[in-house]
Amino acid sequence: MNKSSNTVFVLSGYAKCSMTNNDKYKHGNKHSIGLLTTDENYQNNLQHLTSFVKGLGWDSVMFCLVEKIDDINTLENDVLISSFIRAKENGQSLVVNDHPITVH
């Protein structure tokens, strides 16, 4: 078994809501996002990953930080655990913080 088969990369950043009909997110608000992917070559595939996020109703996507997770047991947050599992099943999974980013 390939060691990398258990690895998920978390690309953290932010994106702007481009959905006009959505009860949860207001159009134009920026939110923190986390994109979990099993793509080891994520650096060369950022355009594809950004297109995935845009397809889910987000624009102005910016990734700032990457974390490598090899063990689901190191995750304590239920949302990240379920997203980790979805990423393992589907190749990628998006997590969006419910609260918009506000500038004071």
Side-chain angles (χ1 to χ4, degrees), residues 76-102:
E76 297 177 10
N77 180 309
D78 289 341
V79 173
L80 286 178
I81 291 170
S82 63
S83 190
F84 182 97
I85 293 168
R86 276 194 316 273
K88 294 301 293 175
E89 292 171 352
N90 303 321
Q92 54 211 20
S93 178
L94 180 67
V95 176
V96 178
N97 188 321
D98 290 345
H99 302 288
I101 298 170
T102 55

Side-chain angles (χ1 to χ4, degrees), residues 45-104:
N45 295 323
L46 281 179
Q47 184 175 11
H48 169 73
L49 296 172
T50 300
S51 294
F52 170 74
V53 175
K54 286 183 176 184
L56 296 174
W58 298 91
D59 203 0
S60 302
V61 179
M62 175 63 73
F63 296 115
C64 307
L65 179 69
V66 177
E67 182 178 355
K68 181 178 173 183
I69 300 174
D70 292 315
D71 183 3
I72 192 172
N73 295 316
T74 61
L75 299 173
E76 297 177 10
N77 180 309
D78 289 341
V79 173
L80 286 178
I81 291 170
S82 63
S83 190
F84 182 97
I85 293 168
R86 276 194 316 273
K88 294 301 293 175
E89 292 171 352
N90 303 321
Q92 54 211 20
S93 178
L94 180 67
V95 176
V96 178
N97 188 321
D98 290 345
H99 302 288
I101 298 170
T102 55
V103 179
H104 299 282

Side-chain angles (χ1 to χ4, degrees), residues 1-9 37-40 68-72 84-85 87-89 91:
M1 176 185 238
N2 186 336
K3 180 182 180 221
S4 64
S5 66
N6 289 324
T7 300
V8 170
F9 301 92
T37 182
T38 57
D39 184 358
E40 288 183 7
K68 181 178 173 183
I69 300 174
D70 292 315
D71 183 3
I72 192 172
F84 182 97
I85 293 168
K88 294 301 293 175
E89 292 171 352

Side-chain angles (χ1 to χ4, degrees), residues 16-28:
K16 182 172 67 173
C17 180
S18 61
M19 298 173 273
T20 54
N21 269 339
N22 188 291
D23 295 332
K24 192 170 186 178
Y25 306 108
K26 184 177 175 186
H27 182 264

